[in-house]
Amino acid sequence: MKLSCLQENLSKGLSIVSRAVATRTTLPITNNVMLVTDESRLKLVATNLEMAMSHWIGAKVEQEGSITVPARLLSEFVNSLPAGEKIDMKLVGKTLELKCARYEARISGVDAKDFPPIPKLDEGINTSVEIAALRQGINQVVFAAAADESRPVLTGVDATFEGSLLTLAAADGFRLAVYKLPLSKAVGQRVEVIIPSRTLNELNRLIGEDEEKIEFTVNPNKSLALFKLKKTELVSQLVQGAFPKYSQLIPQSSAAKATVSVAEFLRACKMASIFARDGSGIVRLVMSPGKITVSSKSEELGEDNGELDATVEGTEAKIAFNGKYLTDVLSVLKEQQVTLETTNPSSPGVIRPVGADSYIHVVMPMFVQW
Amino acid sequence: MWTIIGHKAAVSLLERGLEKGTISHAYLLVGPAHVGKMKLAVKLAQAVNCESPERPCGQCAACLKIAEGKHADIQVIELEQPAENESAGKTKISVEQIEQILHSVNLPPFEGKHKVFIIDGFENLSIAAANRLLKTLEEPVSQVVFILLTTRENLVPQTIVSRCQRIELAPLPYNEIEEALLTRWHVEPLKARLLARLSAGCLGWAVNMVEDDSLLQQRNDWLDEWLEVLPSDYDKRFVFAAKLVEKFNQNRDVLQQKLDLWLNWWRDVLLVKTGNPETITNVDREETLTQIAGEYNLDEIRAFITRIKTASRQLRMNANPQLVMEVLMLNFPENGKVSSPVR
């Protein structure tokens, strides 16, 4: 292997794929990044056995070849090299020799054939989505996924492809977030898969400014998904299992409906959460004509009370939530106003941004003595 | 080709499971150290991932990768080695180690057909860590096989045992080990005979001895130490006791092993005394054994064996090691002489 490439390209490429480098692993080679020549490009590959990232950078290839070297070592070295310089790489035996300006390094590598094989997805359901919509979807849904592993399917985000619609949903047993976005290319059959939250977070980070669309492929036995960007590919394993049927959890009607400003509501909830910290995060909402009262109290510390202007339709209502669940959802909304619908203190509250019917958030209430 | 020596029942059980497609989601392999638990676990991992019809073939890419420990779907979980700045190693397999595998349990295999998690030394799991596994073991995920290895089954929670298929690996008869050492490892006959008997039925131990000569040398040194102390006076014995417990806190196993060696020696003495010299373990020292057997009477030998066992048990129960060893030194068989140091 013999090639040359630019420092900034290599440095950027390494910073992208190193997100997929394993941190704690039983397979030491997954701490490495694989360098492979691919026609007139250099392919960088990293995997943690849950997802694999490949990134291509332009290079002048004189001799084909491949090697894996410790990812951290290589990226730290490359990052420290002067920007804008050309890097010459040469493989001698299993040692990768790098030359840049007046700096030289030799890094001992491991044969690329020992690297876990990166799964290939040639067939399966294929579609693509607009970047902006996907980004918003990821931002508004992923945080609702469960963090602990006690119910594995809930640690991922349920993605349903049907016709030209993609529905992303995440739930952790106390809340549910559902986001619908259009597909640029309709799918022939309905497909439902569970994508690990971490994959979507990484994908969100990957999407650069110059990207417009992301191509998406699911293999026929629904164990793998491929996300394809201009210069980067992300292959992720999919969580196996059935996601709960969540559509029946979304209340169809409501007794009271309040419309408030997102910013104001968020401020009031954040304030109430300060006092609620001691008492299991309980934030009480009282909806009465023209206003919502947001309050919380702690037996030992004190209490707080906030009032917001609101358009309230229907009866007066009282309901209590965990403050964290309210602030989580209110902080990801882009719209100015939001509606909160409730039926009674023991049925779930529904939050929808005003002017966008693509997003629904359902939060379970907390039972309190009023 | 399982190429496992002995353990016929276990192997045929697994073979039938493979043929009928009834491989269990979790196995508990129980047996003494070095008896072949890990060997069998790795073979099983190969078998469920093997690409050829006769599983495990040991030849295909998957089998080779597993044998080299490079397969992405085989994970071995064991006690974490102490980091460089830590003096003592961890004594438990932690919840964090288990949580990491729980996450990967629910993802499909990366390159093979099955994910295999081998947990070595399951008795080292903290209770919390074992409990985290319960739900996963209760509701098996397809394409996942757990293989739990333990030397001390009584320390494995019942809730875990009841969720696994239990396979016991008994020590091998020593003639099987002797034959294996002769034919496969080409050990000279005398050494093979000695190692087979010293190994207590654990082939892995004997093979370690073959590969590392210093281990056999160590056994000889340890035995010489004991034999040297046996006829000496109390002063020397107490110096020896102090030496024995010196590094006890860093590594408890060494003293236990030394006691086991001594216990084994006295078992042989008893056998020689009662006229069964053909069943002794320390075949290389039969002369010394006969001589010692002649010096002590049967009661003394029996009493001393009990005392060694008591000392060993007390150490396991965290008694003060120095006191335990000193008491043992006081209780050495006295060959008809006055048995108390206080006159």
Side-chain angles (χ1 to χ4, degrees):
Chain A
M1 185 164 97
K2 196 175 174 196
L3 58 98
S4 55
C5 61
L6 284 176
Q7 186 270 347
E8 59 256 43
N9 289 347
L10 185 58
S11 166
K12 191 171 158 237
L14 286 172
S15 76
I16 288 173
V17 296
S18 39
R19 301 291 312 181
V21 172
T23 42
R24 297 180 69 187
T25 174
T26 49
L27 202 64
I29 199 171
T30 52
N31 289 321
N32 287 10
V33 59
M34 180 164 70
L35 312 175
V36 195
T37 56
D38 185 0
E39 288 165 4
S40 66
R41 294 182 299 175
L42 175 65
K43 181 163 82 159
L44 309 172
V45 186
T47 181
N48 57 10
L49 303 180
E50 182 180 331
M51 61 180 166
M53 263 192 222
S54 314
H55 182 81
W56 283 264
I57 61 173
K60 198 170 148 223
V61 178
E62 285 174 44
Q63 200 191 335
E64 306 263 299
S66 60
I67 187 72
T68 77
V69 288
R72 232 178 107 200
L73 187 70
L74 182 65
S75 40
E76 279 178 14
F77 175 73
V78 171
N79 286 343
S80 320
L81 289 172
E85 292 284 345
K86 192 179 74 155
I87 301 179
D88 290 309
M89 272 190 239
K90 196 175 147 197
L91 187 63
V92 181
K94 290 207 170 101
T95 307
L96 183 67
E97 294 188 0
L98 295 126
K99 270 185 208 164
C100 176
R102 292 168 67 191
Y103 300 97
E104 278 184 42
R106 271 166 293 278
I107 302 177
S108 315
V110 180
D111 205 325
K113 77 171 174 14
D114 288 342
F115 203 72
I118 304 306
K120 292 202 170 46
L121 274 85
D122 302 326
E123 50 178 7
I125 295 94
N126 180 290
T127 180
S128 62
V129 284
E130 298 278 338
I131 287 299
L134 182 67
R135 266 211 152 144
Q136 187 170 351
I138 294 175
N139 284 335
Q140 298 192 347
V141 168
V142 172
F143 70 91
D148 73 303
E149 297 284 337
S150 58
R151 290 187 66 190
V153 289
L154 295 186
T155 60
V157 171
D158 180 75
T160 312
F161 299 85
E162 195 168 17
S164 55
L165 196 68
L166 166 61
T167 311
L168 297 175
D172 66 359
F174 303 102
R175 57 180 162 182
L176 164 73
V178 183
Y179 186 85
K180 291 190 163 77
L181 64 155
L183 292 172
S184 312
K185 192 172 132 192
V187 289
Q189 63 188 103
R190 184 179 185 279
V191 182
E192 188 175 352
V193 293
I194 304 171
I195 308 169
S197 311
R198 208 179 137 206
T199 300
L200 288 179
N201 281 331
E202 289 305 333
L203 190 65
N204 206 359
R205 222 171 258 130
L206 264 187
I207 301 172
E209 294 303 318
D210 56 340
E211 306 277 357
E212 289 153 14
K213 269 186 189 170
I214 186 161
E215 208 183 304
F216 190 100
T217 312
V218 178
N219 71 344
N221 60 8
K222 293 188 195 168
S223 62
L224 291 168
L226 166 73
F227 303 89
K228 211 166 172 179
L229 290 154
K230 274 182 186 160
K231 287 180 189 164
T232 316
E233 281 184 13
L234 171 66
V235 180
S236 168
Q237 296 202 293
L238 297 173
V239 180
Q240 305 295 292
F243 202 78
K245 298 262 167 281
Y246 55 85
S247 55
Q248 63 214 31
L249 301 175
I250 304 171
Q252 296 306 313
S253 62
S254 64
K257 180 174 170 185
T259 310
V260 284
S261 145
V262 172
E264 286 291 305
F265 196 15
L266 178 60
R267 189 209 309 272
C269 289
K270 273 188 179 160
M271 269 195 284
S273 299
I274 302 172
F275 284 86
R277 243 177 252 154
D278 257 19
S280 31
I282 297 171
V283 170
R284 295 154 200 256
L285 306 180
V286 179
M287 292 159 41
S288 45
K291 66 175 186 191
I292 295 187
T293 317
V294 182
S295 66
S296 68
K297 65 180 173 201
S298 150
E299 290 304 332
E300 278 153 29
L301 296 180
E303 56 183 74
D304 98 309
N305 209 341
E307 259 186 34
L308 333 167
D309 290 332
T311 326
V312 178
E313 297 161 38
T315 57
E316 287 196 9
K318 286 177 175 177
I319 191 162
F321 295 110
N322 185 330
K324 183 179 179 296
Y325 292 160
L326 290 178
T327 49
D328 275 356
V329 55
L330 292 171
S331 23
V332 297
L333 293 179
K334 285 184 170 168
E335 287 75 11
Q336 298 293 311
Q337 288 202 305
V338 68
T339 64
L340 171 65
E341 295 166 33
T342 69
T343 306
N344 61 49
S346 58
S347 59
V350 183
I351 292 169
R352 298 176 209 260
V354 173
D357 55 1
S358 57
Y359 186 60
I360 300 177
H361 196 90
V362 180
V363 187
M364 291 306 288
M366 296 185 83
F367 300 111
V368 294
Q369 300 287 323
W370 288 91
Chain B
M1 283 285 286
W2 285 79
T3 64
I4 298 261
I5 294 164
H7 307 311
K8 290 202 178 63
V11 169
S12 71
L13 178 83
L14 295 175
E15 262 174 353
R16 261 202 314 280
L18 279 171
E19 269 167 36
K20 297 193 172 169
T22 53
I23 282 292
S24 166
H25 66 289
Y27 290 95
L28 179 68
L29 304 188
V30 183
H34 301 299
V35 80
K37 299 187 294 294
M38 185 55 98
K39 181 103 184 159
L40 187 64
V42 170
K43 281 285 169 192
L44 178 58
Q46 288 182 333
V48 294
N49 279 301
C50 183
E51 288 150 12
S52 76
E54 195 196 329
R55 300 177 294 173
C57 68
Q59 309 290 325
C60 66
C63 284
L64 290 175
K65 265 190 145 180
I66 293 171
E68 288 170 31
K70 286 178 182 163
H71 199 281
D73 290 318
I74 314 299
Q75 282 193 39
V76 178
I77 296 99
E78 53 198 356
L79 264 188
E80 280 178 336
Q81 294 300 317
E84 275 169 25
N85 50 4
E86 286 171 346
S87 54
K90 292 214 168 102
T91 55
K92 294 282 177 196
I93 294 177
S94 64
V95 177
E96 288 74 42
Q97 280 174 282
I98 295 303
E99 270 175 0
Q100 270 182 25
I101 67 170
L102 288 186
H103 181 70
S104 96
V105 163
N106 292 293
L107 296 169
F110 191 83
E111 54 175 317
K113 297 185 209 161
H114 284 83
K115 281 201 169 181
V116 182
F117 299 92
I118 302 174
I119 305 185
D120 192 11
F122 198 86
E123 69 274 10
N124 293 327
L125 247 76
S126 66
I127 288 293
N131 287 342
R132 292 306 296 266
L133 269 178
L134 290 179
K135 190 158 175 284
T136 313
L137 291 179
E138 178 79 40
E139 297 163 1
V141 186
S142 60
Q143 298 185 304
V144 172
V145 180
F146 277 91
I147 308 175
L148 318 178
L149 317 180
T150 185
T151 49
R152 299 169 74 184
E153 194 188 6
N154 57 337
L155 294 182
V156 178
Q158 268 305 311
T159 44
I160 295 280
V161 179
S162 67
R163 283 163 167 84
C164 300
Q165 182 164 359
R166 182 178 171 282
I167 300 179
E168 189 163 332
L169 301 186
L172 304 178
Y174 61 74
N175 49 7
E176 267 183 43
I177 294 189
E178 194 175 328
E179 201 192 314
L181 288 177
L182 285 172
T183 53
R184 277 213 212 173
W185 280 273
H186 309 292
V187 180
E188 62 231 58
L190 256 177
K191 197 173 169 191
R193 182 150 172 260
L194 172 66
L195 288 181
R197 283 154 190 264
L198 280 178
S199 69
C202 300
L203 182 59
W205 187 89
V207 173
N208 281 350
M209 292 297 230
V210 171
E211 281 163 2
D212 187 353
D213 271 338
S214 68
L215 288 171
L216 195 58
Q217 187 54 44
Q218 187 185 45
R219 172 253 177 193
N220 287 335
D221 292 347
W222 286 359
L223 203 52
D224 288 340
E225 279 176 11
W226 283 112
L227 289 172
E228 196 191 317
V229 171
L230 181 62
S232 63
D233 59 17
Y234 288 113
D235 287 348
K236 282 200 181 133
R237 286 190 208 162
F238 272 45
V239 171
F240 182 58
K243 208 181 115 208
L244 280 177
V245 298
E246 217 169 42
K247 296 210 169 126
F248 183 73
N249 281 336
Q250 272 96 57
N251 191 346
R252 291 176 163 230
D253 290 343
V254 174
L255 184 51
Q256 241 1 307
Q257 286 165 12
K258 285 186 178 177
L259 279 176
D260 286 347
L261 188 71
W262 196 221
L263 181 65
N264 222 323
W265 176 264
W266 283 92
R267 171 184 172 274
D268 286 356
V269 173
L270 187 68
L271 286 169
V272 173
K273 186 85 186 171
T274 51
N276 300 298
E278 63 278 6
T279 45
I280 57 168
T281 309
N282 299 290
V283 282
D284 58 333
R285 306 235 182 167
E286 201 171 337
E287 230 167 88
T288 326
L289 277 171
T290 323
Q291 183 212 327
I292 290 182
E295 282 175 25
Y296 301 98
N297 65 39
L298 201 56
D299 278 350
E300 279 176 332
I301 297 172
R302 262 182 43 208
F304 189 52
I305 285 179
T306 318
R307 282 163 185 159
I308 301 176
K309 281 164 78 178
T310 312
S312 168
R313 198 185 67 233
Q314 284 168 339
L315 282 181
R316 268 200 297 275
M317 294 166 80
N318 287 326
N320 181 327
Q322 176 121 21
L323 291 178
V324 171
M325 294 319 293
E326 284 177 2
V327 168
L328 183 70
M329 295 299 159
L330 292 175
N331 285 328
F332 266 30
E334 285 299 326
N335 198 4
K337 280 180 267 170
V338 187
S339 67
S340 163
V342 188
R343 263 165 257 204

